[in-house]
Amino acid sequence: MASPQGLSAGVGVCEVKVVSWNMDGLDPRQITERASAVCDILEAERADVALLQEVVHESLDVLSTHFSATFEIYAPSADRVGYFVVLLIRSSTFKVEDGSFSEFDFMQSTQGRSLLQAKDIVHKESGHRFAFLTSHLESLKKKSKVRMKQLKETFLSMNTLTKVDGCTVLFGGDTNLRDAEVEAIPMPEGVCNVWEKCGRPEESRYPFDLKRNDNLSLWEVQTQYDKMFLSLGAGVIPSGFHLVGTSRLSF
């Protein structure tokens, strides 16, 4: 499942749609077919930015085949870890400069986790400057302290990109964060949880919902592991939040 987010920017008038999606590359079943379905949904949604987690080489090949002509594709970890995160930036929407992309390893991670960022991404219509970040924070309940430290480091990066680089910053991804962990970390000034800012729509409360999605034979857990955080300011506000990719595929 994925969490798409529309942003309404008041500097000029622009709408930016961001989709975050854990592609579940650790499940080898019908991986290319599922990746192709993700590509179809990203196009149907007219996503301007895609923040992807648990991408593997097979699914990256599918993404490249579909999007190499229309998106800037950033996958720096593809050559060194089994699964990784990827940023897609639509070329017709944004001007992407050389050196815009970077990756920062989380030093305490034992699972190869990192933070990807694209900064100084200029919206062609409005001239507004954005930064987009994604990560797959540390998994498993016992990794709580490491995961919380990773979120704090992400918030620090958002703060730097906002105050030093002057960008509107959106971070989204599979955070693996439990509610108590989020509550224990103060939200930085000027940063909002996008789902909450959009009125906490009940139908979009659980991006990871095994009551709705029974493809995984786990307990019927419902969580908000997938989150988006936005730095407010410069007239940019979130304009909507809903789930996509909730329909069963037929192969």
Side-chain angles (χ1 to χ4, degrees), residues 29-172:
R29 295 175 298 175
Q30 298 166 314
I31 191 165
T32 56
E33 292 87 352
R34 291 189 289 112
S36 292
V38 171
C39 293
D40 291 341
I41 292 171
L42 291 177
E43 280 297 0
E45 290 289 321
R46 292 299 300 167
D48 298 296
V49 179
L51 316 171
L52 307 177
Q53 306 87 45
E54 283 195 27
V55 181
V56 294
H57 291 95
E58 293 89 342
S59 49
L60 180 60
D61 288 344
V62 174
L63 292 168
S64 298
T65 298
H66 277 73
F67 293 138
S68 59
T70 52
F71 282 84
E72 297 286 342
I73 302 174
Y74 186 58
S77 297
D79 293 332
R80 62 184 179 86
V81 294
Y83 62 98
F84 41 90
V85 289
V86 174
L87 276 168
L88 304 182
I89 309 288
R90 187 178 290 275
S91 302
S92 61
T93 304
F94 292 101
K95 180 181 179 181
V96 180
E97 302 283 359
D98 290 340
S100 294
F101 294 104
S102 56
E103 178 185 29
F104 302 95
D105 291 330
F106 289 124
M107 299 308 295
Q108 291 186 331
S109 175
T110 60
Q111 300 170 355
R113 305 300 165 90
S114 62
L115 180 67
L116 291 193
Q117 72 174 37
K119 72 173 185 177
D120 294 326
I121 306 300
V122 179
H123 189 267
K124 291 183 176 180
E125 182 180 350
S126 68
H128 195 78
R129 295 170 68 211
F130 289 92
F132 299 102
L133 286 69
T134 191
S135 185
H136 184 191
L137 302 188
E138 212 81 356
S139 302
L140 304 176
K141 184 177 181 180
K142 65 182 181 181
K143 294 292 185 176
S144 176
K145 290 183 179 180
V146 175
R147 182 166 51 246
M148 292 172 68
K149 188 175 189 299
Q150 291 169 351
L151 179 62
K152 291 177 182 177
E153 292 177 13
T154 299
F155 282 157
L156 285 174
S157 294
M158 292 182 69
N159 183 67
T160 299
L161 289 165
T162 301
K163 294 184 177 180
V164 177
D165 295 282
C167 297
T168 294
V169 186
L170 184 136
F171 164 74

